[in-house]
Amino acid sequence: MKTIAILNGPNLDRLGKREPEIYGRATLADVEAALRTEFAPRAQLEFFQSNHEGALVDRISFLADAKIDGIVINPGGLTHTSVVLRDSLAGSGLPVVEVHISNIYKREPFRHHSYTAPTAIGVITGLGIEGYFAAVRFLLQR
């Protein structure tokens, strides 16, 4: 059984409450429960969310040392600002799929650039929470 980590960055703990017209009404707990239900027979899923860049970097280092099978990450606003997070993902040696609930290319111009995307084998943007499911499916099929 593969182990996949799903990491969520700043403000994703507010999912379902923060700007539901952009991000929908499902909470992060709803997303985690749905992923567990969908993939329980095929994968061990590990969830982690932090509003702190350093906590995410520490978690990625831990996951790299644990030699898990892949990371699904929604870096939130750190996507557009964090070289440190980018370096952590690049140095992990793990396959990464970046996910964004909203279509970042239909939003403000500063959101069009991702520091973290070049470390990923794929990026899913604009499919709502379905992007998490697609990312896990992809990593399981690798």
Side-chain angles (χ1 to χ4, degrees), residues 59-72:
R59 193 66 185 169
I60 292 164
S61 294
F62 170 82
L63 296 168
D65 291 343
K67 297 183 173 51
I68 66 159
D69 298 295
I71 294 174
V72 173

Side-chain angles (χ1 to χ4, degrees), residues 7-15 18-19 23 28 48-57 73-82 85 99-101 107 111 116 132:
L7 306 181
N8 285 284
N11 297 312
L12 285 150
D13 58 327
R14 303 286 301 154
L15 198 58
R18 175 180 168 248
E19 300 176 284
Y23 300 108
L28 191 55
F48 183 80
Q49 187 279 326
S50 181
N51 293 320
H52 304 281
E53 181 179 49
L56 289 162
V57 169
I73 187 166
N74 182 339
L78 294 174
T79 302
H80 323 291
T81 63
S82 183
L85 186 59
V99 171
H100 298 283
I101 295 168
R107 299 190 60 200
R111 295 186 195 277
T116 50
Y132 289 97

Side-chain angles (χ1 to χ4, degrees), residues 25-47:
R25 300 215 178 273
T27 67
L28 191 55
D30 295 336
V31 173
E32 291 175 5
L35 287 166
R36 276 192 174 88
T37 299
E38 175 78 18
F39 296 107
R42 297 181 287 163
Q44 179 178 331
L45 301 179
E46 179 181 312
F47 298 93

Side-chain angles (χ1 to χ4, degrees), residues 1-4 39 42-45 135-142:
M1 181 179 294
K2 289 189 175 184
T3 301
I4 307 292
F39 296 107
R42 297 181 287 163
Q44 179 178 331
L45 301 179
V136 173
R137 278 192 296 274
F138 176 81
L139 288 172
L140 289 176
Q141 293 170 2
R142 281 189 95 235

Side-chain angles (χ1 to χ4, degrees), residues 98-117:
E98 183 173 310
V99 171
H100 298 283
I101 295 168
S102 68
N103 182 346
I104 61 175
Y105 300 104
K106 290 181 78 176
R107 299 190 60 200
E108 304 91 338
F110 72 86
R111 295 186 195 277
H112 298 180
H113 176 74
S114 171
Y115 281 101
T116 50

